[in-house]
Amino acid sequence: LLAKADRQLQDLDLAGAELRKILDRYADDLAVLARKWAPKDPATAARAARRILEIRPGDKDATALLAKVGGSAKGPASWLSQR
């Protein structure tokens, strides 16, 4: 029973690591999008930066980008709240 529980925990750790990789890649892609659109569409850039902060709370680059485009950490379009 203990061995089975240990295997399950290891599987969860592996799944968690894979999920972290996916979320990190998503946040990196959002950062690219935000930097690209910041001059032309600050609202889209702010929305992307807010999503990064949902994934990586306190992310310095996202916070700086959000300040640059005049957005705040509290704003519309949370992908979690839209569901």
Side-chain angles (χ1 to χ4, degrees), residues 1-2 4 15 21 23-25 30 32 34-35 37 44-45 50 52-53 67 71-72 75-76 82:
L1 187 61
L2 185 58
K4 182 178 179 181
K21 286 179 189 178
L23 290 174
D24 283 341
R25 190 170 32 244
L30 284 170
V32 169
R35 283 191 293 275
W37 287 99
T44 297
R50 280 189 213 96
I52 294 167
L53 290 171
S72 70
Q82 288 182 352

Side-chain angles (χ1 to χ4, degrees), residues 46-60:
R47 186 174 177 183
R50 280 189 213 96
R51 287 188 180 184
I52 294 167
L53 290 171
E54 289 175 355
I55 297 167
R56 297 179 189 155
D59 185 274
K60 292 179 183 180

Side-chain angles (χ1 to χ4, degrees), residues 4-24:
K4 182 178 179 181
D6 190 42
R7 276 193 309 274
Q8 288 176 338
L9 286 174
Q10 288 175 359
D11 289 345
L12 282 174
D13 287 343
L14 289 173
E18 286 300 313
L19 179 59
R20 175 52 42 202
K21 286 179 189 178
I22 292 167
L23 290 174
D24 283 341

